[in-house]
Amino acid sequence: MSGTDIRIFSGRDKLGETLAGEMIRFAQAAAREQRPASIALSGGSTPKILFNQVARVAPQEKVNWEYLHFFWGDERCVPPDDSESNYKMAREYLLDHIRVPDSNIHRVHGEADPPGEAVRYAAEIDRIVKKKLGGFPRFDWIFLGMGADGHTASLFPGADTLNVRDQICTPAVHPGSGQRRISLTLPVINRAARISFLVVGEKKQERVAEILEKKSGYEKYPAGRVAPVEGVLEWCLDSEAAGKLRSSEG
Ligand code: 6PG
């Protein structure tokens, strides 16, 4: 993809360490300039490789997190103490290890009724994320993961949610499990200043290659529809996830 940074790391630890350093510097710059900044975390298991490294390094770096506001790119519609909750995972691996004010943590109320929560969460985002682009909140940084089916956040292949053009958030449903979700929409994702995919593991390498090499039909994958209107898109991959990329062969 033109304008896409493809960053291939030798392993998950190196990827996590590097992005952790960048997140810490991002927080420190916001504090130094005394300007609030917004970050949307992704869910699933991959972010743990980043969160672990931030939690390990941040205490000795004495990071001031008070200008950084944390949101989620998507959430499962479960209570915050449920093992499926992306918020719970972020709490355990990241937020409980850094000194961030509770008022800076903007979780999706997974326990609430999804359509009503999508409206409430959108209003919270719109209130806190002051920067706008094309009438949508402009996050400073959005992290995304990708499923082997090419979904990202809770935007799944073929879902109507991919066509939502006038909302910040949308209720969604996982096509396999039927689990109800809340997700940021593509218009919001694509208006972030920086979008970072974190994708690791061999089982994702086919999809990564299809999308990054724009193979026929790549746009049917939600992850293939992530293209910043005015910002930076980077795919941070370990060598396994990058295994089928032409540029990484031999
Ligand atoms: C979620 C996600 C989802 C995730 C991908 C990859 O709530 O599950 O946000 O989009 O990023 O499914 O998940 P893994 O990192 O577990 O492979």
Side-chain angles (χ1 to χ4, degrees), residues 158-169:
D160 292 344
T161 49
L162 286 170
N163 304 315
V164 172
R165 285 280 168 271
D166 57 355
Q167 304 295 325
I168 295 169
C169 298

Side-chain angles (χ1 to χ4, degrees), residues 13-40:
D13 290 347
K14 190 67 185 148
L15 188 160
E17 281 164 26
T18 306
L19 272 291
E22 293 174 9
M23 183 190 278
I24 287 168
R25 287 191 290 281
F26 176 78
Q28 288 171 324
R32 195 170 47 249
E33 295 157 24
Q34 297 191 331
R35 59 169 168 75
S38 57
I39 199 162

Side-chain angles (χ1 to χ4, degrees), residues 109-203:
H109 296 171
E111 66 277 22
D113 170 62
E117 177 54 15
V119 171
R120 187 206 67 81
Y121 198 54
E124 181 164 353
I125 291 171
D126 209 29
R127 187 174 73 251
I128 304 292
V129 180
K130 304 290 187 202
K131 293 175 197 155
K132 310 295 180 197
L133 182 63
F136 288 94
R138 178 173 167 78
F139 278 93
D140 291 292
W141 199 352
I142 292 183
F143 283 95
L144 293 173
M146 185 192 73
D149 64 353
H151 82 259
T152 191
S154 282
L155 302 173
F156 297 94
D160 292 344
T161 49
L162 286 170
N163 304 315
V164 172
R165 285 280 168 271
D166 57 355
Q167 304 295 325
I168 295 169
C169 298
T170 179
V173 178
H174 188 290
S177 64
Q179 187 181 58
R180 301 179 78 180
R181 304 277 187 95
I182 302 286
S183 182
L184 290 183
T185 60
L186 277 175
V188 170
I189 290 170
N190 284 334
R191 282 170 175 74
R194 179 177 180 182
I195 305 167
S196 300
F197 273 100
L198 304 187
V199 183
V200 299
E202 200 171 355
K203 70 180 170 67

Side-chain angles (χ1 to χ4, degrees), residues 13-88:
D13 290 347
K14 190 67 185 148
L15 188 160
E17 281 164 26
T18 306
L19 272 291
E22 293 174 9
M23 183 190 278
I24 287 168
R25 287 191 290 281
F26 176 78
Q28 288 171 324
R32 195 170 47 249
E33 295 157 24
Q34 297 191 331
R35 59 169 168 75
S38 57
I39 199 162
L41 302 177
S42 55
S45 56
T46 303
K48 292 175 185 173
I49 63 178
L50 164 63
F51 296 170
N52 276 331
Q53 297 295 341
V54 176
R56 185 176 64 80
V57 172
Q60 64 250 28
E61 301 249 341
K62 296 186 177 43
V63 182
N64 174 356
W65 296 93
E66 68 183 65
Y67 285 87
L68 196 43
H69 287 265
F70 287 92
F71 296 83
W72 277 260
D74 72 315
E75 182 56 283
R76 291 80 180 276
C77 294
V78 295
D81 59 355
D82 188 295
S83 62
E84 280 284 300
S85 166
N86 289 334
Y87 164 77
K88 180 177 191 287

Side-chain angles (χ1 to χ4, degrees), residues 9-10 12 200-202 204-205 238-244:
F9 298 84
S10 52
R12 301 177 186 208
V200 299
E202 200 171 355
K204 308 215 178 149
Q205 60 180 219
D238 71 346
S239 50
E240 289 182 342
K244 293 277 190 199

